[in-house]
Amino acid sequence: MQTWVLIVALLILGLAGYYLGRSRAVASADGRAASLHSVPSYYGMYVAIWAAVPGLILVLVWLSIAPIVRDNMVLSAIPPETVTAWAQEMLPADLFAAEAEAIAASGTDGLTGPQVELLMVNIVNVAAGSSFVSPTVAGILVGPAEHMNSLGELSSWGLLVIGLGLACAGLYTARRRLAPHFRARNRVESIINVFLIICSTIAILTTLGIVLSLLFESARFFGIVPIWEFLFGTQWSPQIAIRADQVGSSGAFGAIPLFVGTLLIAAIAMLVAVPVGLMSAIYLSDYAPPRVRASVKPVLEILAGIPTVVYGFFAILTVAPFIRDLGAAVGLNVSANSALAAGVVMGIMIVPFISSLSDDVINAVPQSLRDGSAALGATKSETIRQVILPAALPGIVGACLLAVSRAIGETMIVVMAAGLAANLTVNPFAAVTTVTVQIATLLVGDQEFDSAKTLSAFALGLMLFVVTLCLNVIALRVVKKYREKYD
Amino acid sequence: MSMTSEIASEPSVSPPPQAESEARAKMTSRGVEVHYGAKRALHGIDVDILQHEVLALIGPSGCGKSTFLRCLNRMNDTIEGCKVTGEMTLDGGNIYDKALDVVQLRARVGMVFQKPNPFPKSIYDNIAYGPRIHGLAGGKEELDGIVQSSLERAGLWEEVKDRLSEPGTGLSGGQQQRLCIARAVAVSPEVILMDEPCSALDPIATAHIEELIDELRVNYTIVIVTHNMQQAARVSQKTAFFHLGDLVEHKETQEIFTNPQDERTQGYITGRYG
Ligand SMILES: Nc1ncnc2c1ncn2[C@@H]1O[C@H](COP(=O)(O)OP(=O)(O)OP(=O)(O)O)[C@@H](O)[C@H]1O
Ligand SMILES: [Mg+2]
């Protein structure tokens, strides 16, 4: 409650600061705004920032730190008798018997980590008046709960008072500093600069966090399964025996079949998508009459909006049987879940990416180049092949790359159409599986995150990350080299 | 049908069926009107362009010089909403004939644009582009020869001979303009249309291009748009003065500059016209 009051108050103070700062700046220049160093609104913004931002930062910091401080204070203040009573009620008898002495001697320090967490949850529930706690426990914990509530109250009021104080102080000092020669514009710009840096840092840190969490979990996996076995093993069957007497569950973590499967399906998809997408882009940009273009392009883009699950239906219900029957007709043995079906449907899914992006880059090639080529007596197709496509190539490569990443990262179509069998094969008529499909199946349902089976998902994720990263780096190189040659 | 094949097979032999005085007319324009959407940009232009002659088009900005020039090789086709009516011939064949192959027409009527538009390719490939498309060179050596002579004629060879593999877009504006002239010359068209080819050039390069035009006249027919009166007087045999979409005067350059009939022409030439 107090926090919301404070935030609203900060915003109002900021607004007030804006007008106060502006009017003060104008007044300090005897009403001649032109003689100020900056436009008056910059002075207003400067004061507004000083009024609102420190308080908002305080709120953020306070809200993230205060609960921790509060919990620690509550825990350390619980008398050992209360802890004993609670433990007697909540812990299994044998555990309680083992720990009773330690608890009686040192209160909460006698509990294990998870037990302390449980206790804390109970206290929070009691404090909130929730009915998740049995009345007996509620009776025992009434003291700590009240303690927690009073601390919380204190913290909220403290935040409100300090926040308002900061805001007023900021407003006052910032406003006092204003003078005609004060460089408000530069100050505001540098504050905005800092803000932008913080935002981009957040993005970078998030990426870093994702990579680190992948790395840590993968490291745990590689502690169980040697890394070379994972990288070069040709056998993938991630079932591990839970009990020693189980059969047929030795567990093999060779990732090669998965990566071969992924690359096979992605390659088939690109074989379908690149020609179709590029050709339709060329048709749309250089051949289609404006009316056709205006209606075909949106239709193509609708393709991009179809959920991949629906493509999956299409793959299993239409494309896979069709390919199987076709194969049967020419005497080929095509599996019901074939890489071909998944790849073709994935290719269709990717077509709008390539065609729409390529169409944009092809259109961006200046008309003067087309005219120049036409004036030399080149035909349309000569112009496109020798002038337009080379000029648009960086963008087309970029579009294809985006498509490859989509293909490699795509899960749903493959789950439905290509299956789960980790066969090591490049035969497009066989059933294969991909990295993302395996990650999905490994983590479906309730899992404990300490077996090799679940941890292998993180190793696969890491590999996938590394592969796509390499792809991007290579593509950037290619595009750059090309740019140097042509721009 | 027959007209097309005539144009394609024996361009210079077929005598136009017109009167004796027009026997040397390479291109003719009769009542040509151009509309951009609803806006009329040219109001019935009648001009004869004689073989081995340089025709200069002059006139205030926006009067339709570029528009008329683009009619001569049908570059207006690519502009949306642009409609050309009237009759226009090349060696007696109607170039707006439905059966005519535009690509072939443009191979015979080359063009240098008002704004330089080099391809994003190397300098060499920029020049070799046209000859390669039309199969003008038998081998690598012959192609090298075409590239060199074209660049020499445009006065660019000395500047770029050591950097032929560098991108043409990396040249300066004036160099790009000369590159485009060399590119047009490389395919040896019969008619060359030049839209202010010297607007970005220094006096030395301009003199070079004017020499080139003089030299090309021996074999080709040239139409040049220019805002520079001295240039028109120096390089052209005939001059046409355009004003607000009308062809006001068209006659011997000598005469138009010494004895203009229309007062608009007089005003423009003497600089009294805004
Ligand atoms: N693509 C176009 N769409 C619509 N109107 C156009 C287009 N191109 C030219 N026009 C119009 O046609 C008229 C003649 O233009 P044009 O480019 O032929 O002039 P110009 O004589 O070449 O002028 P400048 O000396 O400035 O190059 C102008 O009024 C112009 O606005
Ligand atoms: Mg013009």
Side-chain angles (χ1 to χ4, degrees):
Chain A
M1 184 56 210
Q2 282 91 339
T3 314
W4 289 113
V5 170
L6 176 59
I7 290 175
V8 171
L10 286 175
L11 294 181
I12 293 174
L13 276 173
L15 204 65
Y18 178 81
Y19 288 107
L20 287 173
R22 210 172 61 168
S23 59
R24 160 130 188 172
V26 174
S28 74
D30 300 327
R32 285 171 299 123
S35 66
L36 289 170
H37 170 268
S38 316
V39 179
S41 61
Y42 273 110
Y43 292 89
M45 272 187 256
Y46 177 74
V47 177
I49 286 170
W50 272 108
V53 172
L56 291 174
I57 292 175
L58 178 80
V59 170
L60 273 183
V61 174
W62 193 288
L63 288 184
S64 53
I65 291 178
I68 301 171
V69 175
R70 183 196 62 187
D71 289 0
N72 278 333
M73 286 172 73
V74 170
L75 272 183
S76 58
I78 301 178
E81 309 82 69
T82 314
V83 182
T84 309
W86 175 81
Q88 195 164 18
E89 190 64 30
M90 292 298 289
L91 297 186
D94 50 342
L95 258 185
F96 174 66
E99 291 178 9
E101 224 164 274
I103 295 174
S106 49
T108 51
D109 291 343
L111 296 170
T112 63
Q115 290 166 358
V116 172
E117 271 173 39
L118 180 64
L119 173 60
M120 216 47 236
V121 169
N122 283 171
I123 296 175
V124 169
N125 279 335
V126 175
S130 134
S131 55
F132 287 128
V133 196
S134 71
T136 345
V137 174
I140 294 168
L141 294 180
V142 122
E146 270 168 8
H147 186 202
M148 175 176 273
N149 276 340
S150 67
L151 280 178
E153 194 81 345
L154 189 68
S155 153
S156 309
W157 283 111
L159 175 60
L160 181 62
V161 169
I162 298 179
L164 283 180
L166 257 183
C168 295
L171 198 157
Y172 179 71
T173 47
R175 185 166 178 270
R176 263 191 48 163
R177 279 165 122 189
L178 299 187
H181 60 269
F182 182 75
R183 298 168 172 239
R185 176 161 45 92
N186 309 28
R187 300 292 180 95
V188 171
E189 293 291 339
S190 60
I191 291 170
I192 290 175
N193 194 3
V194 170
F195 179 72
L196 295 179
I197 289 174
I198 290 175
C199 287
S200 59
T201 316
I202 288 175
I204 294 171
L205 287 183
T206 315
T207 318
L208 210 65
I210 291 173
V211 173
L212 282 182
S213 74
L214 266 181
L215 271 180
F216 279 122
E217 299 296 330
S218 306
R220 280 174 68 193
F221 172 71
F222 291 132
I224 304 171
V225 176
I227 187 163
W228 59 86
E229 204 181 303
F230 175 75
L231 286 182
F232 303 114
T234 55
Q235 189 74 29
W236 178 265
S237 69
Q239 303 310 325
I240 287 249
I242 295 172
R243 296 189 313 277
D245 55 338
Q246 275 180 327
V247 284
S249 46
S250 52
F253 292 94
I256 288 212
L258 305 188
F259 279 93
V260 170
T262 305
L263 292 183
L264 178 65
I265 290 185
I268 295 173
M270 294 309 285
L271 275 181
V272 172
V274 170
V276 174
L278 203 53
M279 298 296 164
S280 56
I282 291 172
Y283 171 72
L284 281 182
S285 63
D286 279 58
Y287 286 91
R291 263 182 320 116
V292 175
R293 180 187 154 80
S295 52
V296 170
K297 205 174 178 203
V299 171
L300 258 178
E301 271 156 10
I302 286 175
L303 269 183
I306 298 176
T308 55
V309 176
V310 177
Y311 280 104
F313 296 157
F314 180 58
I316 40 173
L317 293 183
T318 313
V319 178
F322 174 74
I323 291 178
R324 197 184 48 211
D325 296 346
L326 207 69
V330 299
L332 274 173
N333 185 16
V334 180
S335 138
N337 291 328
S338 64
L340 192 59
V344 166
V345 174
M346 199 191 274
I348 296 172
M349 177 195 85
I350 291 170
V351 163
F353 279 85
I354 295 191
S355 71
S356 188
L357 287 172
S358 307
D359 178 56
D360 288 344
V361 287
I362 290 175
N363 261 322
V365 175
Q367 178 66 27
S368 68
L369 287 186
R370 292 181 170 85
D371 288 348
S373 177
L376 289 170
T379 64
K380 218 164 195 176
S381 77
E382 281 165 343
T383 304
I384 287 165
R385 262 185 293 128
Q386 303 191 29
V387 177
I388 311 290
L389 287 187
L393 197 67
I396 293 174
V397 170
C400 291
L401 248 135
L402 199 71
V404 172
S405 335
R406 273 293 305 235
I408 289 181
E410 173 54 39
T411 316
M412 218 50 229
I413 294 176
V414 196
V415 170
M416 296 170 82
L420 299 174
N423 296 324
L424 179 53
T425 174
V426 289
N427 175 7
F429 303 118
V432 296
T433 189
T434 68
V435 175
T436 49
V437 168
Q438 287 304 315
I439 293 177
T441 49
L442 287 170
L443 298 185
V444 161
D446 298 331
Q447 301 285 354
E448 82 259 57
F449 280 80
D450 50 5
S451 74
K453 182 184 164 194
T454 41
L455 286 176
S456 68
F458 296 101
L460 287 176
L462 183 67
M463 283 291 296
L464 206 57
F465 179 78
V466 171
V467 168
T468 39
L469 192 72
C470 290
L471 266 178
N472 281 348
V473 170
I474 292 170
L476 279 181
R477 282 276 168 88
V478 170
V479 169
K480 197 171 162 211
K481 199 166 165 211
Y482 174 86
R483 282 243 167 92
E484 281 164 2
K485 202 169 150 210
Y486 278 109
D487 252 4
Chain B
M1 206 50 227
S2 63
M3 261 187 245
T4 327
S5 52
E6 244 175 44
I7 289 177
S9 52
E10 34 196 344
S12 49
V13 191
S14 65
Q18 268 90 11
E20 190 71 8
S21 64
E22 292 182 23
R24 290 192 308 134
K26 182 73 180 171
M27 297 190 81
T28 64
S29 147
R30 290 286 172 271
V32 167
E33 290 205 358
V34 178
H35 286 85
Y36 290 112
K39 182 181 180 303
R40 193 160 66 141
L42 286 181
H43 319 166
I45 307 295
D46 298 327
V47 182
D48 283 352
I49 303 163
L50 303 192
Q51 194 128 30
H52 306 313
E53 156 188 285
V54 177
L55 169 67
L57 307 181
I58 60 172
S61 188
C63 66
K65 306 180 296 293
S66 300
T67 302
F68 180 69
L69 206 63
R70 284 199 303 266
C71 290
L72 292 169
N73 67 345
R74 291 185 56 177
M75 285 309 293
N76 281 329
D77 291 9
T78 60
I79 296 175
E80 214 170 299
C82 179
K83 201 164 118 266
V84 181
T85 52
E87 196 191 64
M88 204 161 240
T89 66
L90 170 65
D91 287 334
N94 182 8
I95 63 172
Y96 282 88
D97 192 327
K98 284 262 187 308
L100 177 114
D101 182 1
V102 187
V103 170
Q104 216 157 32
L105 168 72
R106 290 185 189 141
R108 295 174 61 195
V109 184
M111 182 164 195
V112 177
F113 292 84
Q114 189 161 359
K115 274 185 249 149
N117 53 353
F119 301 133
K121 297 172 177 291
S122 70
I123 293 171
Y124 184 95
D125 287 337
N126 259 285
I127 310 293
Y129 179 76
R132 275 187 187 137
I133 281 178
H134 300 296
L136 297 184
K140 171 92 175 99
E141 257 132 64
E142 209 174 324
L143 190 60
D144 286 351
I146 294 179
V147 170
Q148 177 170 357
S149 68
S150 305
L151 285 169
E152 274 168 356
R153 294 171 97 174
L156 192 58
W157 176 251
E158 285 304 319
E159 287 158 66
V160 301
K161 65 180 176 196
D162 300 322
R163 41 190 285 210
L164 288 177
S165 59
E166 285 175 31
T169 42
L171 296 173
S172 79
Q175 288 172 327
Q176 289 186 9
Q177 186 65 287
R178 279 177 285 159
L179 184 70
C180 293
I181 294 172
R183 190 173 72 182
V185 170
V187 292
S188 319
E190 296 160 32
V191 181
I192 301 181
L193 313 173
M194 296 183 168
D195 202 343
E196 298 182 36
C198 301
S199 56
L201 301 188
D202 63 61
I204 297 170
T206 302
H208 210 107
I209 297 302
E210 288 177 7
E211 262 170 49
L212 169 71
I213 292 173
D214 237 19
E215 177 194 323
L216 290 173
R217 184 165 71 88
V218 179
N219 297 314
Y220 310 108
T221 305
I222 293 166
V223 183
I224 175 172
V225 173
T226 177
H227 283 295
N228 181 335
M229 295 308 124
Q230 284 80 30
Q231 182 170 58
R234 278 194 301 263
V235 302
S236 70
Q237 282 73 52
K238 292 269 181 62
T239 297
F241 173 67
F242 282 72
H243 186 256
L244 296 177
D246 284 314
L247 175 60
V248 176
E249 250 183 295
H250 169 223
K251 52 167 80 107
E252 303 291 325
T253 301
Q254 200 75 32
E255 214 174 313
I256 213 168
F257 279 103
T258 53
N259 186 20
Q261 295 301 308
D262 197 289
E263 61 183 52
R264 288 172 290 179
T265 320
Q266 194 172 15
Y268 183 72
I269 288 169
T270 54
R272 268 186 281 122
Y273 183 88

